[in-house]
Amino acid sequence: ISLPHDPESSYSLSFDGNNDYVDGGTGSLGGSFTVSCWIKPAAIATNWAGFVCKNEDKASGEGVFWLGQHSTNGKVRFGVYLNGTNESALDTDGAVISNGSWYHVAATYDGHYQKIYIDGTLVKTSSDLNTVLSSGTSNYWIGLSTAEYFRGLIDEVAIWNDALTSSEITALFNSGDPLSASSNSGDYTSSANVQSYWRFAENSGTTAYDLSGYGNHGTINGATYNSQGADAAAPTMTITAAEGADGFTSNDATLTL
């Protein structure tokens, strides 16, 4: 199936913090899993704003997880609903995000430990919960939790049905240049476990296509495309040659990578 995804261009979705979100459907998820996204927040003071969540039907026992902003500026919370209703919450120890910068945020649960990673580095691990996570069918929400809307940019949202290793998450961060979840590369070997993958590269329309092959296409509600994707977070290097010995400025050169 050919999807209107432009792999040569980079876009993200811009969320206004008022009523913008993406509804990614009700695909079932439980057991071990990983959620990953790139975010560029614009309002970290908005308590409990969601990055990626699957908990809107927790009252009916269908909650799975939520990942988003804490009530303390710059902290991140990752919650899992072990029985579909009651949340086990894991918070970073301090601020790990700020306004105006891109961050790769990933979280895993393996039946024992919740873990939060920021920019490829493990920053927080829970105690041993020793509980198999029930499967749930709450809607995937991007840019929204049950409490608050996210303001800023979100890109490269992926869900796996296994807990990625620390090495795999570091590989996905890829020093700030997002690695595609669809293809194994280096230490990343879990492309076959991708359950949903929204890259937001359509740049038009109201459908965010799921590239996993499972058809969890998202409906964009209010969010708009932004020409700056997460790969803009990649570091740049500029080399400027010294002036030539003959004194002519025409010998100067600048190389930017």
Side-chain angles (χ1 to χ4, degrees):
I1 299 174
S2 178
L3 302 177
H5 173 77
D6 182 357
E8 301 304 321
S9 299
S10 180
Y11 304 97
S12 60
L13 279 183
S14 177
F15 299 79
D16 67 4
N18 294 319
N19 55 9
D20 293 354
Y21 71 103
V22 175
D23 184 340
T26 60
S28 181
L29 184 70
S32 299
F33 74 94
T34 301
V35 53
S36 170
C37 59
W38 284 80
I39 63 165
K40 185 178 181 181
I44 60 170
T46 303
N47 297 346
W48 314 119
F51 308 152
V52 188
C53 303
K54 190 175 177 62
N55 67 339
E56 50 84 25
D57 199 17
K58 60 187 177 183
S60 300
E62 298 295 334
V64 181
F65 73 87
W66 91 273
L67 179 64
Q69 296 174 185
H70 192 274
S71 60
T72 298
N73 290 3
K75 293 178 69 172
V76 167
R77 171 169 287 189
F78 171 46
V80 296
Y81 295 83
L82 297 178
N83 63 358
T85 300
N86 301 114
E87 178 190 5
S88 171
L90 180 67
D91 301 329
T92 59
D93 290 329
V96 291
I97 60 173
S98 60
N99 289 332
S101 296
W102 279 106
Y103 297 94
H104 180 238
V105 181
T108 68
Y109 182 65
D110 63 1
H112 290 275
Y113 300 100
Q114 295 167 260
K115 297 181 179 181
I116 300 174
Y117 297 81
I118 303 294
D119 287 348
T121 299
L122 177 64
V123 297
K124 189 68 175 182
T125 303
S126 72
S127 60
D128 187 352
L129 302 178
N130 192 28
T131 303
V132 176
L133 180 67
S134 301
S135 293
T137 57
S138 285
N139 286 55
Y140 285 108
W141 281 349
I142 301 169
L144 171 63
S145 69
T146 55
E148 197 59 70
Y149 293 90
F150 173 81
R151 182 181 173 196
L153 306 179
I154 300 179
D155 199 6
E156 295 281 333
V157 176
I159 309 290
W160 293 258
N161 64 357
D162 70 340
L164 300 189
T165 66
S166 177
S167 296
E168 286 185 292
I169 289 174
T170 299
L172 286 169
F173 170 61
N174 197 30
S175 299
D177 187 10
L179 188 70
S180 171
S182 297
S183 302
N184 291 337
S185 179
D187 288 332
Y188 173 64
T189 60
S190 295
S191 63
N193 296 97
V194 175
Q195 301 298 292
S196 300
Y197 186 24
W198 302 280
R199 298 197 77 179
F200 305 137
E202 295 80 18
N203 198 33
S204 63
T206 58
T207 300
Y209 285 92
D210 168 25
L211 303 184
S212 73
Y214 286 98
N216 297 314
H217 306 312
T219 300
I220 300 170
N221 295 275
T224 57
Y225 284 97
N226 189 288
S227 59
Q228 180 187 105
D231 60 358
T236 59
M237 178 176 65
T238 301
I239 302 172
T240 302
E243 184 176 284
D246 58 6
F248 288 104
T249 56
S250 59
N251 287 352
D252 293 352
T254 298
L255 173 65
T256 301
L257 302 177

